Structure formats: structure tokens, C-alpha cells
Amino acid sequence: MENNRQDWKKNLRSEFESYKESAPEGLWEALAEDLKARGIKAGGAVKSPEGRRSIWRAAWLPYTAIAAGLAAIAIVFLLPLHRTEVTLVRESGITAMTEQEPESTGLRQPSDSAFTETREGDTRLEKPTARKEEEAARRDIAAEPAGMSYDDSAEQPKEAGGETAETPAATQESDPVKTAPAQDNNPAPARGKEVLEFDDADLFIADASGIKGRRDRRKLSLMLAYSGMGSTGSSTTGYDALYGSSIAATRLSPDSGAFLNEPYNAVLMSNVHQTVNTERRHYQPISLGLRVGWEFAEGLSLVSGLEYSCLVSDLSSGTEGNRYETRQTLHYIGLPLSLEWSFVNSGRLRAYLSAGGQMSKALYGSSTTNFIFDESNSQENGLAMPQTLRITEDALQWSANIGAGIEYGIGDNLGLYIEPAASYSFDNGSPVENYYKSKPFSFRLALGLRIRLH
Amino acid sequence: MAIFGAAAEKKIVAQAKKQDAAAIKAIYDAHVQYLAAVCRRYIPGDDDAKDVLQDALIKAFTSLESFSWKGPGSLRAWMRRITVNEALMWLRRNASSPLSGERPEDLGEQPADEDPDTDGVPLEVLQRLIRGLPEGYRSIFNLHVFEELPHKEIASMLGISEGTSYSQFSRAKALLARKIKEYRKNGK
């Protein structure tokens, strides 16, 4: 029965293979005229000699430029944040300003002494205002030898009130103070003359047992994270499409007349009676970002910032000779937040662990589909122009990650770091396919340059 | 002009790629009648069929450089694909009714599952009867029978469901079968 059904179709097809009808009158003349006007030149559509590579390269250029610009802006504008650098040199109970300072810091009015006892057992140093006596002392500082220590007995500005930092307790602590640099766990090294440097927001707390530095530091990192660990791929039989591509729009169109995709139809007809396959490949994202860290406790930092990621996916569907190829490019901006613990901090070497998460939002996405007929790219054969559609994704992409890093200081402010990390991307329910969905759990390797603010 | 031998066709294609006017004319003469028949099977109006055929030939000759000759019949198959594509695009632009909704009432809800008996029916008559099918039926019938596309791909191509493609093909087949019977009975 089935054979009979197939037979009549086969017979009909076979009979019509030799069936011809007369050509319409005047067709050749009209055709010749048209061809002459066009020039009988093959490949008359837009040529792209490098094909996909040029699309890839062209797509990368503006974003590379933007990323470089962001980095430059960050370096130029963020580094001078600490516009007032205060260098304190402890000497005979008088602090001195070595740099310009604002006339009013909004802090509570300092006494003539720069050290003001604020709570029991602690002496809090607040940003002092310049005073003539202090300025005079500053001139003397330059001549001070190393090892100067806090000496309560030294001459001090007279103070109407009783608040001075030179309490008996503080005085008695002079010896511990003297050796404080050795006990000081502050990551910033003392500079020979026990000069402590900090920026606007720094607070220097001296407790009763000695001066222990606690530093509130910001670290600005310029990070380039490259995964480079391959991609995910799959191969299935039959035709398929990436969500958001023109092919997907064609296949999903609910209206019979909404979207008749001519090149797509041509691919289908060209592959009649042939086995067709679909191959997908999602490349691991490439990321570039800026990070800012706040060391809120010894060795512990809270790190955040901005991270740009580019996700590229490829799909090829059909046969070797006749197929369509879609390239999808997605651009995300992410807000990472992580906790970083430095467990080794020796000389130039720092090792740390980090754990946290990231929220990413799709900024822009697009897919471009090319059609290959007889193994010839449609841009070159003129049979079809590439079809480009914009992809929008509203859902946020959340991820959790843990990592370990090693940083090597190559200067006072610079450090090179390498940070392998494991990441898990949570399913956000979006139909857009990308690397995160194909491989939720992944590893990546970040290589970067960290710039520190002092 | 008779269809070329394999070697001759390959040579003519190579010359046509170099924009040899005589070679292009030779290809036109060799295949235009066949392509005209294919085109008219999709497009009922003669003037419209001429326009579609002209567009298809322009597309073929302007992209000939990308064609890779793979043996006898490959050129005709290639030009045929272009022609069918152009016909489908024209139908899309000029559709009189949605493909999915078309259903001649005289067929009834359940058309007989009967294969057309084409034995002895002249091809010109069959061509006319196929051209006379309603537009949606005709496209699906042509794509399934002559282009050998499975219903899944036809559905994807035309933006209809696979089930609709099946049912419309069944109706087309039944309608053609009935028309053939009427021809045999009445001679027209």
C-alpha cells in the first residue's frame, strides 16, 4: 500500500522530468536587457573577502575600544581620588602636615594637639589642620633621624581644655610606640622614618597597648579575564536554529504568511533526500573589567566593580554544500561582589581566596545568518544576503564563583595576578542560548593587572 | 537546442562564468522551457509566471560564478531550485488567502484517501489540472511531489504546522484525483 502511494508520486515526478513548455514571448529580450543593465557579473552582492572573520573582527573593534577607554578613564580619573595625602611623622607629640590639606575637613575641631583621646584606651588621630607650630615642626622633620618616636614629654601646643592626646597612659606607651613599626601589621610598609601614609579616609588608631595601624585601603584593579579553555559543542540531526535568529523567527512564526524566508527555503530544497545535521558551539566568554576592593579587616577585602563579557555562539545546519550558519554575539555587563581573603602576604607575593557572586545584564545581542549554497558563501554568490536580527534578553544572569589567586607585585602600585576560578551560572529561564546555559558549571582563568591606591 | 553532453555542459558553464554571451544564451536555450514548466506549475497566471521566470533567470546568471558544476543535471537542478524559490516568494507577496485556511468546501470534511490515477493522462492536462488547484494546495502538492520535501520541512518553509501540510496535501491529492476522473469522464 505504501509502495503504491510512493509509486504514483515517483511516476508523476519521473514523467514531468522531461516536460517542457514554451518560453514566454519576449523573455530573452527582457532578460538580456536586464542582464546588460546589471552587468553579467557573478557575486554582485556585498563582498566580504574575509567572510566571517571580518564580521568577527569588526564586531570586536568598538568594544575593544570601549574597554580600553574605560581602562584609561579609570587610570586617569580614579587614581587622583586621594587628593590630599597626609604624611605624618611622629615626633615629640606634634604632628605635622607635609602636604596640602583642606581648610576644613568637616571633622570635629581638633585640639592644638593632633592626638585627641576619643575613647578609653584609644587615641584617634584625625585630620589635623595646619597650624603655624605644626608647619614649623614640619621644617624640622626633614632633619629628624630615623626611629623617631612619640614622646609625650616634648613641647606641645598649649591647650585650653584638658584634651590632649598626651595622656599619662599614652606617655607610658612611648616605648611600645617606639617599637610599633615592628608590631604593625599594617600592610603598608613604614618608610624608614616611621612615616605613615594614608589618604583622606584613613583613620589611624592607637590603642593603649601600642600603636597598631589599621588602614582603610582601596584597591583598583584593571582585570582582563580570559577563559581560553575551549567551548561547548553539540551535534544533532535535522535542522535547528538559535533562538532570536532569523531562522528561528521563520520556524516559530505563527502566521503562515508572516515570514517566508527565501534562502532558508532554498537550503531546505537543496538538501532533499540528504541527511542534514545541526552543530552548535558556544565559546567561553571573554571578560574585561574593573574592580574595586575595600579591605575592611586584616587580610579581608570586599571586592566589587564592573565586568563586561562577550559571549559568542555558532550554529551550522544543513549539509556541507548547502546550509545556513548563524553567529550569535551577546554583550553583558556584570556587577560582581566577592569576599577576598589574603592568606599569604609576603614581600611581593600575595595569595588569596575569593568567593562571591555576580549579577549580569544583557546589554546588546545580535545574530547574523549566512547561507551557503554549493559550498559558496551567500555573500559571495549573491543568492542571499546575511540576515541579522537583534536579540533582547530581559532576565538577569546570576552566578556564584570561588577562586584562588596569586599576585606578584611589580612595583609599589602594580601587581600581576592570575586567578583560576570556578563558576556556576544559575538558569534564568531565558530562551536565549549561550555558554552559561550550555555549561552552567565552568572554570575560567583570569589574568590581570591590579593597581593599588595608597 | 538539445541538452548538452556532460563535457559540453561543463565547458559551457565555464564560459558562461566568464560572461560569454553565447554561452549564456546556450544555457538559456537549453533550460528555459523546462524552467517555464516548473514555474507555471506554481504560478497560475501566464504574465506572472513570466515575471517570476525572468527574475529567476536573472538571479541564476548573476550568481553563476558561485555555481560548481557537479555532473550532468546539476546545472538544471540548481536553476530549478532558484526558480521554485522565486515562485514561492512571489506567492508569498501575492497570496490571496492564507495557506493554512484554504479548503474548498466541495471536498467535504473527509476527502477520500485516493491516489490520483495519472496513467494515460497527457502531461499537458496534468499540468493544467495541477495549476488549477487552489493556491495553498498547489504549493504543498508541488513541494511534496516534485521537490520531494517532507512535510516537516514544508511546514517550516511555509510557516504552517506539519499537520496542516499533511492535511492540505491529502486534500490536494484527492482534488487532483477527482479532477482526473472528471477529465477521463468528460474529456476536459
Side-chain angles (χ1 to χ4, degrees), chain A residues 239 247 250-253 255-272, chain B residues 42 81 84-85 88-89 92 99 139-140 143-144 147-162 165:
Chain A
Y239 292 103
I247 305 300
T250 301
R251 291 162 64 92
L252 294 173
S253 173
D255 182 356
S256 63
F259 201 131
L260 196 60
N261 194 329
E262 175 193 357
Y264 171 65
N265 297 342
V267 169
L268 266 53
M269 290 203 300
S270 300
N271 291 326
V272 168
Chain B
Y42 285 86
R81 287 197 298 267
V84 173
N85 256 343
L88 291 175
M89 287 304 298
R92 164 66 193 99
L99 287 169
S139 297
I140 294 172
L143 289 172
H144 186 63
E147 314 309 327
E148 300 181 77
L149 286 179
H151 288 291
K152 185 177 181 180
E153 292 182 16
I154 293 173
S156 178
M157 187 184 298
L158 300 181
I160 58 177
S161 68
E162 191 173 343
S165 182

Side-chain angles (χ1 to χ4, degrees), chain A residues 219 290-294 302-306 335-338:
Chain A
K219 286 183 291 185
L290 291 170
R291 287 187 180 168
V292 176
W294 172 48
L302 206 59
V303 180
S304 184
L306 283 176
L335 191 67
L337 184 66
S338 61

Side-chain angles (χ1 to χ4, degrees), chain A residues 183-251:
Chain A
Q183 303 169 353
D184 195 344
N185 293 324
N186 194 298
R191 299 191 176 223
K193 297 183 178 181
E194 298 183 42
V195 171
L196 306 172
E197 298 180 345
F198 57 92
D199 67 7
D200 289 3
D202 273 4
L203 292 175
F204 181 75
I205 296 178
D207 63 10
S209 62
I211 297 194
K212 292 181 181 178
R214 182 175 79 80
R215 187 152 303 192
D216 184 11
R217 285 179 58 188
R218 297 172 189 163
K219 286 183 291 185
L220 176 68
S221 298
L222 174 64
M223 173 209 66
L224 173 65
Y226 173 66
S227 51
M229 296 180 81
S231 58
T232 68
S234 65
S235 182
T236 56
T237 56
Y239 292 103
D240 208 341
L242 287 173
Y243 178 86
S245 66
S246 60
I247 305 300
T250 301
R251 291 162 64 92

Side-chain angles (χ1 to χ4, degrees), chain A residues 139-152:
Chain A
R139 288 193 290 273
D140 296 330
I141 287 169
E144 290 293 345
M148 180 64 63
S149 61
Y150 176 85
D151 185 352
D152 221 349

Side-chain angles (χ1 to χ4, degrees), chain A residues 16-276:
Chain A
F16 270 92
E17 273 301 307
S18 58
Y19 179 69
K20 299 176 184 178
E21 290 188 351
S22 57
E25 193 174 331
L27 176 63
W28 169 250
E29 289 75 15
L31 177 64
E33 198 62 35
D34 209 320
L35 288 174
K36 183 180 176 183
R38 290 165 188 266
I40 311 174
K41 185 180 287 185
V46 174
K47 275 194 177 288
S48 178
E50 295 177 304
R52 175 164 294 173
R53 275 190 293 130
S54 69
I55 296 174
W56 172 253
R57 192 183 306 146
W60 262 108
L61 276 177
Y63 297 104
T64 305
I66 290 171
L70 280 176
I73 289 169
I75 292 171
V76 170
F77 288 102
L78 293 182
L79 272 177
L81 267 181
H82 55 99
R83 300 182 187 280
T84 303
E85 184 174 273
V86 177
T87 301
L88 289 182
V89 175
R90 296 181 235 167
E91 57 94 27
S92 62
I94 297 176
T95 60
M97 309 301 291
T98 60
E99 298 291 339
Q100 295 180 358
E101 67 282 348
E103 293 183 358
S104 172
T105 62
L107 300 174
R108 59 193 176 97
Q109 293 298 316
S111 63
D112 287 343
S113 167
F115 287 90
T116 304
E117 187 172 3
T118 58
R119 57 177 182 270
E120 184 178 356
D122 282 348
T123 300
R124 179 182 293 268
L125 172 65
E126 296 186 343
K127 186 185 301 295
T129 56
R131 300 184 317 122
K132 289 183 180 178
E133 295 84 348
E134 291 166 341
E135 286 177 354
R138 187 188 311 153
R139 288 193 290 273
D140 296 330
I141 287 169
E144 290 293 345
M148 180 64 63
S149 61
Y150 176 85
D151 185 352
D152 221 349
S153 62
E155 183 180 354
Q156 300 176 34
K158 294 181 180 175
E159 173 62 37
E163 289 183 319
T164 69
E166 290 111 16
T167 62
T171 303
Q172 293 169 5
E173 298 300 328
S174 61
D175 283 341
V177 166
K178 191 173 184 179
T179 60
Q183 303 169 353
D184 195 344
N185 293 324
N186 194 298
R191 299 191 176 223
K193 297 183 178 181
E194 298 183 42
V195 171
L196 306 172
E197 298 180 345
F198 57 92
D199 67 7
D200 289 3
D202 273 4
L203 292 175
F204 181 75
I205 296 178
D207 63 10
S209 62
I211 297 194
K212 292 181 181 178
R214 182 175 79 80
R215 187 152 303 192
D216 184 11
R217 285 179 58 188
R218 297 172 189 163
K219 286 183 291 185
L220 176 68
S221 298
L222 174 64
M223 173 209 66
L224 173 65
Y226 173 66
S227 51
M229 296 180 81
S231 58
T232 68
S234 65
S235 182
T236 56
T237 56
Y239 292 103
D240 208 341
L242 287 173
Y243 178 86
S245 66
S246 60
I247 305 300
T250 301
R251 291 162 64 92
L252 294 173
S253 173
D255 182 356
S256 63
F259 201 131
L260 196 60
N261 194 329
E262 175 193 357
Y264 171 65
N265 297 342
V267 169
L268 266 53
M269 290 203 300
S270 300
N271 291 326
V272 168
H273 285 324
Q274 295 189 61
T275 302
V276 297

Side-chain angles (χ1 to χ4, degrees), chain A residues 321-334:
Chain A
N322 302 284
R323 63 187 186 279
Y324 52 88
E325 296 178 344
T326 299
R327 167 153 283 191
Q328 174 184 279
T329 308
L330 304 172
H331 305 277
Y332 288 83
I333 191 76

